[in-house]
Amino acid sequence: MLWNSFIAASNNATFLFDRNFMDYHKDRFEDYSLLIYKAEKLVAVLPANRVGDTVFTHQGLTYGGLVTHPSLKLKEVLEVFKSILIFLNNQGVLVLNIKSLPSIYASTPNNQLDYLMFLIKATLKRRDVLSVLDCRFKSVKLSNNRKRGVKKAKANSLIVKEEVDFEGFWNSVLIPNLKLQHKADPVHSLAEIKLLHSLFPKNIRQFNVYKDQQIVAGVTIFETKTVAHAQYISATENKQELGSLDILFQHLINDVFADKLYFDFGISNLNQGLNINDGLLYWKESFGARTITQDFYSIKTTNHHLLNSVFI
């Protein structure tokens, strides 16, 4: 792992930047992640990669933006962000493309970044919709279609199991389905998901559905303290007949992750947020999920001066 250190000064503070070239995704992206220190204390992290004169808050991460220490107040976050823009501009970066963290993943209520985007005259480039079930309020029940699916699954004697092996789901269900339906591969290869699981065994979990010991569906869950996020969902072509996904998600929502605040089914967007897969969205909402958004912004690094006189 390589490290380089840089200094960027703003009006009221000096921050030390560490450039961290991560091992993960090193073959796909030129890593440009930043660790920001104030008085030798780590106060913020910006997972990022660089493409020419543009830096992205990491294109290899589903959710990733500016992560700040919980003790930082708005004025300090502003200073951190301003210093990041100054640093990037000094390094020849013209544009910072930043994705916001969906509100459900924040440890405390916090829309500081949204306000900074307004101040810095950022351009909203994309907005995705996430289908999220708020588990604190289960007034929205399963749709009749989902209830019928659960009955079919029980009639077919389907069994849901948590597995430590990802190979069966990847090779038997996920990869074949993606190739058939989208002529694509999973974002994570089998080797990569195994590596991630070895690093975060409590946060990445695999659940499969079996009929007569044959895998018929599965989901890969990325788990945080407050959210269970369905990263990969896939089933064999007879899922409607078997009710495999219905029994799987009923079990996850009602039993495995009943103590979570939110269950995140992920996005249903196509074409950079401009279109929605209608059938996919309908399926997610039939479990009671509703929409929240994730925003993607583009910022000119020269606009750091717009943060000079915010506080009066």
Side-chain angles (χ1 to χ4, degrees):
M1 192 171 289
L2 303 175
W3 298 86
N4 290 305
S5 297
F6 303 90
I7 296 291
S10 66
N11 287 346
N12 303 309
T14 300
F15 297 92
L16 171 68
F17 287 74
D18 276 343
R19 279 280 315 286
N20 174 16
F21 293 78
M22 296 186 297
D23 290 333
Y24 183 61
H25 279 323
K26 65 182 180 181
D27 295 330
R28 298 183 183 179
F29 303 100
E30 178 189 349
D31 192 80
Y32 216 76
S33 300
L34 302 178
L35 303 179
I36 302 97
Y37 294 82
K38 181 180 180 182
E40 299 184 354
K41 179 181 178 181
L42 181 65
V43 295
V45 178
L46 188 75
N49 66 282
R50 183 168 180 170
V51 180
D53 58 9
T54 301
V55 164
F56 298 82
T57 54
H58 212 295
Q59 292 173 295
L61 299 177
T62 304
Y63 303 135
L66 178 64
V67 182
T68 57
H69 192 278
S71 66
L72 295 191
K73 298 177 181 178
L74 177 59
K75 188 173 184 178
E76 295 168 305
V77 174
L78 182 148
E79 293 293 345
V80 165
F81 193 71
K82 179 185 174 185
S83 292
I84 289 173
L85 294 180
I86 293 173
F87 164 73
L88 292 176
N89 188 251
N90 289 340
Q91 297 300 310
V93 175
L94 302 182
V95 175
L96 170 63
N97 287 325
I98 191 166
K99 63 181 77 172
S100 63
L101 182 72
S103 57
I104 60 173
Y105 288 92
S107 55
T108 57
N110 194 333
N111 291 116
Q112 293 172 333
L113 185 65
D114 294 336
Y115 183 60
L116 291 179
M117 296 302 97
F118 162 70
L119 294 175
I120 207 70
K121 298 188 183 301
T123 301
L124 179 63
K125 303 293 288 187
R126 172 178 170 181
R127 174 170 283 163
D128 284 345
V129 296
L130 286 68
S131 297
V132 175
L133 179 64
D134 190 332
C135 300
R136 298 170 299 174
F137 306 101
K138 293 189 176 179
S139 57
V140 180
K141 305 297 183 182
L142 289 178
S143 71
N144 290 333
N145 285 342
R146 301 286 72 77
K147 290 178 181 178
R148 284 193 290 269
V150 171
K151 289 181 180 179
K152 289 179 183 178
K154 292 179 179 179
N156 282 290
S157 301
L158 300 191
I159 297 174
V160 180
K161 294 181 181 179
E162 181 171 5
E163 308 279 9
V164 294
D165 177 29
F166 294 83
E167 188 168 350
F169 176 61
W170 244 250
N171 290 338
S172 299
V173 182
L174 182 62
I175 292 176
N177 276 353
L178 286 176
K179 286 188 179 298
L180 179 64
Q181 298 175 16
H182 305 289
K183 297 182 180 179
D185 293 313
V187 174
H188 299 92
S189 68
L190 179 59
E192 287 172 339
I193 201 69
K194 285 182 175 180
L195 171 61
L196 284 175
H197 180 255
S198 70
L199 297 173
F200 306 100
K202 295 182 179 180
N203 301 99
I204 299 178
R205 302 169 68 179
Q206 180 65 40
F207 297 87
N208 295 335
V209 184
Y210 294 88
K211 177 175 173 56
D212 301 328
Q213 300 184 339
Q214 182 75 30
I215 184 171
V216 294
V219 61
T220 308
I221 297 290
F222 285 12
E223 182 180 355
T224 73
K225 184 177 180 180
T226 58
V227 182
H229 167 63
Q231 178 69 19
Y232 292 109
I233 305 169
S234 196
T236 54
E237 61 182 8
N238 57 351
K239 57 182 177 291
Q240 297 292 348
E241 176 187 343
L242 295 177
S244 55
L245 290 179
D246 298 312
I247 193 70
L248 173 58
F249 280 91
Q250 186 210 44
H251 174 62
L252 295 179
I253 293 167
N254 292 339
D255 300 320
V256 181
F257 299 111
D259 61 336
K260 295 297 179 186
L261 294 178
Y262 306 101
F263 192 96
D264 176 12
F265 286 86
I267 68 170
S268 303
N269 289 99
L270 303 167
N271 301 328
Q272 296 295 302
L274 293 176
N275 296 106
I276 295 174
N277 183 321
D278 190 24
L280 183 58
L281 180 65
Y282 170 81
W283 178 80
K284 294 173 180 179
E285 291 183 336
S286 66
F287 285 95
R290 294 297 180 262
T291 295
I292 68 169
T293 60
Q294 181 185 23
D295 293 339
F296 297 71
Y297 294 98
S298 181
I299 305 153
K300 295 179 180 179
T301 58
T302 52
N303 282 7
H304 59 75
H305 67 90
L306 297 174
L307 301 178
N308 285 346
S309 305
V310 175
F311 290 92
I312 58 176

